[in-house]
Amino acid sequence: LRGDWWSGEWEWNVVDVSVDVASPTHTRAASAETGGAMANALAARCAVGGTGIRMAPAGTRTTRGTGVCAPQASLAALVRQVEAPFMKEDVMKLQVGQQVRVGVTVKEGKRTRVQPYEGTVIAMHNAGIGTTVTVRKVLQGVGVERVFPLHSPLVTFEGVKGAGEPKVRRAKLYYLRDRQGKAARIKTKFSKKE
C-alpha cells in the first residue's frame, strides 16, 4: 500500500475488495501480503469519512489497482451541515456594481445603535458562511472601502431605491480605485415600472 492520505490516491498490491450492500460505508478489504490488517485499517478510516473505498468489485484480483478514498468530500459536507443553522436565509441578492445601504449594529456601553454605510459593491468573496462583500464609497474626496461578512447577525443589507441595475462585465471592480469624479460612475439600466 502506497499513497497520500490527503490527495486520496492509493496504490494497492493484490487487493480483494467487497462492499456490503446493506451498509455502503462498511467496506471489507483483504490484502495478500499483509493479511488484511492494513487494508482493513484503511477501510475503517475511509468509512469514518463517510465515503467508503471505491475500487474493483469483490473477487477481482489486480496486481496494481488504484483505490480512491475521498475524506475531503465528506468533510466539506459536514462543514456545510454545521454552518447551515448560522447562515441567513433572508439575504438580498447582491450584485457587483450595485448601490447598497449597509446597517452595522454597534454596541457602545449599554446602548446599541445601527451605523449606516452606503456605497457600491466592488467585490464579493463567496465562501459559505464566510462570504464577504466589499463596499466602496468616496467621502470628501477620499475612497473608503469596508469588508462586511454577509451572514453576520450584526450586518443588514438593503438596496438603494432608484439606483437601477448595474451594467458591469467583471466580477471585481478594483479599477474604480484609480478613477475619480465622473470617470468612477457605473452605467446602469433602469427597468420599466409595471
Side-chain angles (χ1 to χ4, degrees):
L1 174 69
R2 288 184 300 160
D4 183 8
W5 173 252
W6 291 111
S7 69
E9 293 295 323
W10 295 88
E11 287 186 10
W12 295 76
N13 292 326
V14 190
V15 175
D16 182 15
V17 178
S18 60
V19 177
D20 188 0
V21 179
S23 173
T25 58
H26 177 67
T27 306
R28 291 170 297 159
S31 171
E33 289 91 18
T34 62
M38 189 179 293
N40 286 332
L42 178 65
R45 288 173 93 181
C46 290
V48 169
T51 58
I53 300 176
R54 295 175 302 211
M55 284 190 282
T60 353
R61 291 203 173 263
T62 57
T63 52
R64 286 193 83 163
T66 303
V68 179
C69 172
Q72 294 89 356
S74 62
L75 183 61
L78 179 66
V79 169
R80 278 195 302 271
Q81 190 176 11
V82 170
E83 289 178 348
F86 301 103
M87 294 179 77
K88 288 183 184 176
E89 295 176 4
D90 58 341
V91 177
M92 69 174 281
K93 188 174 186 293
L94 292 172
Q95 187 177 353
V96 174
Q98 183 178 8
Q99 290 285 326
V100 292
R101 184 175 293 116
V102 183
V104 183
T105 305
V106 179
K107 189 173 182 181
E108 297 170 338
K110 295 180 182 177
R111 293 183 338 143
T112 304
R113 66 181 181 90
V114 176
Q115 181 181 24
Y117 185 88
E118 188 174 324
T120 305
V121 176
I122 64 165
M124 290 184 66
H125 173 72
N126 295 313
I129 199 164
T131 300
T132 58
V133 178
T134 305
V135 181
R136 177 182 174 83
K137 72 175 180 179
V138 178
L139 185 65
Q140 298 177 355
V142 178
V144 180
E145 292 180 6
R146 284 184 70 179
V147 180
F148 298 101
L150 186 65
H151 295 287
S152 171
L154 302 176
V155 178
T156 58
F157 293 91
E158 59 183 51
V160 175
K161 292 183 181 177
E165 188 179 338
K167 286 171 63 174
V168 293
R169 289 167 35 172
R170 42 182 89 197
K172 311 283 190 227
L173 302 181
Y174 295 143
Y175 68 89
L176 292 177
R177 294 171 176 169
D178 300 327
R179 306 237 176 135
Q180 295 177 351
K182 288 185 176 181
R185 291 183 300 182
I186 297 174
K187 292 182 182 178
T188 56
K189 55 185 175 184
F190 297 95
S191 59
K192 294 181 182 179
K193 291 183 181 179
E194 296 180 7

